[in-house]
Amino acid sequence: MSIERKDSLPSNSQMLEQISDLFLKYGLRSTSMDDICRHLNISKKTLYQYFENKEQLVEEVFMMRHRNFDFEEIKKKIQPVSAIQILFGTVEHFLQMQQGLVPTNMFDLKKYHPAVFDKLSQHFELFIQQFYSMVFKKGQAEGVFRTDIDTDMQIWLLVEQFCILRDPEKRDNLKYPLGDIVYTVTENAIRSVATSKGIEELDKFKKSKKLNFK
C-alpha cells in the first residue's frame, strides 16, 4: 500500500482548480468523488481530509470561480474605458464565459445542491450590483448617463433581467438566442438612462463595432 507524502499533495487551491476543470469537462453530476480521486491521484481518505463531503467540495469550487473576479483589479482595468463600452464589453465577456460552460452544470447545481446554488446566486447578484453601480456613476461623470434617475432602481431592473438568464430551467426555454437577449437588455438599459450625448455615443459605438442586435 503506497503512502501519500504530504509535500507531494496539491494545495487546496490547486485541487479546486483541477476539480473545476473536471466539472467543466464532464459535468457536475457525472463527476464522482472516485473520479476526482483518480484525477488527483489521491485516496478518498485524503480527499475527505480536505472536504467533508461533495456538497462542501462543490461549494468551494463554485465560490472559487466567483472569487476569481477581483473587483479592485477590474476597477483599474476599466478606468480609461467609457461606461457604454464597458457595458458592452461585459456582455461579450459574459457570452464567452457561457461558451466554456457545460450546460447541465447549473441545472445540476440547482437540483442537487440547492443551498450552494442559492449562495452562489446571492454572491453573483451582489457582485453585479456593485459593478453596475460603479459603471453608472462613471457614466454620469462622463455625461453619458442622466443624473435625474433612480440609479438603484435602474440597476435592480438590469440585475433582475440578467439573473433570470442564470436560471437553468429558463435558459433551456429561451425564445430568442442568448446573445440577442443579452445585447438587447443592455441596449435598452443604456437608452433608458442615457443623455443625448450618451445616445450619440451608443449609436456611434454600435456602428463602429458592427453590432447587429435589435
Side-chain angles (χ1 to χ4, degrees):
M1 180 176 179
S2 61
I3 300 175
E4 294 166 343
R5 290 178 50 189
K6 190 172 182 179
D7 59 2
S8 67
L9 295 175
S11 65
N12 185 269
S13 60
Q14 290 173 326
M15 280 191 175
L16 293 176
E17 290 284 355
Q18 293 184 51
I19 295 169
S20 177
D21 290 341
L22 278 180
F23 288 161
L24 288 173
K25 186 174 183 179
Y26 299 110
L28 175 61
R29 185 65 176 171
S30 299
T31 305
S32 68
M33 298 296 268
D34 287 326
D35 293 330
I36 293 169
C37 289
R38 281 193 292 271
H39 182 74
L40 296 175
N41 196 30
I42 61 175
S43 67
K44 189 172 288 188
K45 179 180 178 180
T46 299
L47 183 64
Y48 282 115
Q49 290 177 355
Y50 286 83
F51 312 102
E52 292 183 9
N53 47 46
K54 190 173 181 180
E55 181 82 2
Q56 183 193 358
L57 183 151
V58 168
E59 178 176 340
E60 291 198 26
V61 166
F62 279 86
M63 291 307 296
M64 173 204 67
R65 292 182 189 173
H66 174 79
R67 286 192 296 270
N68 284 341
F69 293 99
D70 187 323
F71 196 77
E72 291 303 317
E73 186 64 27
I74 291 173
K75 284 174 65 175
K76 293 178 184 177
K77 288 183 178 180
I78 68 175
Q79 190 57 41
V81 184
S82 72
I84 289 175
Q85 291 183 51
I86 290 170
L87 290 178
F88 282 119
T90 303
V91 169
E92 293 173 4
H93 180 68
F94 173 79
L95 294 174
Q96 288 172 0
M97 286 179 59
Q98 299 309 303
Q99 292 176 356
L101 295 177
V102 176
T104 57
N105 269 350
M106 293 308 294
F107 178 83
D108 287 345
L109 186 66
K110 183 177 182 181
K111 183 175 182 180
Y112 300 107
H113 306 277
V116 177
F117 180 85
D118 289 342
K119 184 175 182 178
L120 185 69
S121 296
Q122 290 171 7
H123 277 264
F124 174 77
E125 289 182 30
L126 179 60
F127 175 82
I128 59 177
Q129 283 172 355
Q130 292 175 327
F131 178 80
Y132 282 129
S133 178
M134 176 179 62
V135 176
F136 271 57
K137 288 178 182 177
K138 181 176 175 60
Q140 289 173 334
E142 294 171 353
V144 296
F145 292 166
R146 291 166 23 219
T147 57
D148 62 337
I149 59 172
D150 188 332
T151 304
D152 289 340
M153 181 183 292
Q154 293 291 342
I155 292 172
W156 179 81
L157 289 169
L158 184 57
V159 170
E160 284 296 302
Q161 291 178 85
F162 280 123
C163 283
I164 289 174
L165 298 176
R166 287 180 60 80
D167 188 317
E169 295 176 6
K170 290 184 172 63
R171 282 283 300 274
D172 286 344
N173 296 287
L174 295 177
K175 186 175 180 179
Y176 303 100
L178 178 62
D180 291 350
I181 293 174
V182 177
Y183 274 119
T184 301
V185 167
T186 301
E187 182 184 13
N188 288 345
I190 292 173
R191 289 193 181 279
S192 69
V193 302
T195 61
S196 57
K197 177 183 176 182
I199 296 295
E200 183 179 344
E201 182 174 325
L202 170 62
D203 291 338
K204 183 178 179 181
F205 179 74
K206 286 178 59 179
K207 186 177 181 180
S208 69
K209 293 295 183 181
K210 297 182 180 179
L211 299 176
N212 297 313
F213 57 95
K214 300 178 181 178

